């Protein structure tokens, strides 16, 4: 039985997993629905050569949707959380460098993006929000075991299979008992005694 602390941690993990899944699914779906705007949002960061802007604008929403689906079902949770953390660090760095360089853009994290008026930037809020999402990813990287997950079902299946293939302590004791000879010694002891007797006769 899980302790109250264990149940609490598992509950937090479930909320973190579903919350981060929702972030990726919503963000990815909005970007896929408007690829032209996504292209402008990536271009506005002014860090990639033009040939790579289109590649990133296409790949990023697809990666977000894949991350979201994996987290939603709790499959490969730790690996997905680590990849999510890496992508969020890239996002935070991108917004921070735009702020430091004096660019006036919207991050385009949930649609939109591109250049905006100087008074319309929200860099501190965008960075704080992404740090919050990063905290969820870090939590799942450290504690990937959550309820209602494919990972958990697969692990329980492996444990059940191991329990079937490995004999219990009682079965092992019965087998050991059956190997004892009439003198009460185990089969290995009996063989050793027989070998000693043969040597003495020589």
């Amino acid at each position: 039985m899980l302790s109250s602390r264990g149940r609490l941690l598992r509950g937090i993990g479930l909320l973190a997993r579903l919350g981060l899944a929702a972030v990726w699914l919503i963000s990815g779906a909005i970007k896929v629905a408007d690829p032209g705007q996504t292209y402008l949002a990536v271009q506005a960061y002014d860090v990639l050569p033009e040939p790579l802007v289109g590649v990133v604008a296409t790949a990023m929403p697809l990666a977000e949707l894949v991350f979201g689906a994996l987290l939603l079902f709790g499959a490969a949770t730790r690996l997905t959380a680590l990849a999510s953390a890496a992508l969020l660090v890239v996002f935070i760095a991108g917004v921070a460098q735009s702020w430091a360089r004096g660019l006036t853009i919207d991050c385009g994290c949930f649609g939109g993006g591109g250049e905006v008026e100087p008074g319309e930037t929200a860099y501190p809020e965008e960075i704080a929000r992404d740090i919050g999402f990063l905290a969820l990813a870090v939590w799942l990287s450290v504690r990937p075991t959550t309820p209602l997950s494919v990972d958990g079902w697969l692990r329980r299946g492996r444990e059940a299979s191991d329990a079937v293939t490995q004999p219990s302590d009682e079965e092992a004791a019965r087998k050991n008992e059956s190997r004892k000879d009439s003198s009460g010694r185990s089969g290995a002891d009996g063989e050793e005694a027989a070998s000693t007797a043969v040597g003495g006769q020589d």
Side-chain angles (χ1 to χ4, degrees):
M1 294 291 290
L2 285 174
S3 65
S4 57
R5 181 175 181 273
R7 288 193 295 270
L8 175 62
L9 292 175
R10 284 170 61 84
I12 293 173
L14 178 61
L15 292 176
R17 197 189 89 217
L18 296 180
L20 191 57
V23 168
W24 289 135
L25 290 173
I26 294 170
S27 175
I30 292 173
K31 292 183 176 75
V32 167
D34 193 353
Q37 187 61 52
T38 302
Y39 181 94
L40 293 176
V42 174
Q43 187 181 47
Y45 283 90
D46 193 28
V47 293
L48 295 173
E50 195 64 28
L52 288 180
V53 171
V55 174
V56 172
T58 301
M60 181 173 58
L62 297 178
E64 291 178 353
L65 290 174
V66 170
F67 291 170
L70 289 172
L71 289 170
L72 179 63
F73 293 105
T77 302
R78 171 168 280 152
L79 182 61
T80 306
L82 289 170
S84 298
L87 186 56
L88 286 163
V89 168
V90 171
F91 287 168
I92 293 169
V95 174
Q97 68 86 29
S98 299
W99 190 7
R101 292 168 60 194
L103 302 180
T104 55
I105 67 171
D106 178 85
C107 76
C109 300
F110 292 93
E115 294 187 8
V116 295
E117 294 297 322
E120 295 179 359
T121 58
Y123 294 130
E125 294 87 344
E126 291 166 352
I127 291 175
R129 179 188 60 202
D130 285 348
I131 288 175
F133 298 154
L134 178 59
L136 299 180
V138 170
W139 177 280
L140 292 171
S141 299
V142 176
R143 305 186 68 91
T145 302
T146 58
L148 305 176
S149 67
V150 171
D151 291 341
W153 295 330
L154 292 176
R155 186 176 58 256
R156 285 194 293 272
R158 288 194 298 269
E159 290 173 351
S161 177
D162 291 343
V164 170
T165 56
Q166 294 179 357
S168 65
D169 292 341
E170 292 182 1
E171 290 174 343
R174 282 198 299 270
K175 288 182 179 179
N176 188 53
E177 188 70 25
S178 67
R179 292 176 57 197
K180 291 185 177 181
D181 59 17
S182 58
S183 65
R185 290 176 295 190
S186 67
D189 292 339
E191 291 171 2
E192 183 180 351
S195 176
T196 303
V198 170
Q201 291 174 0
D202 292 342

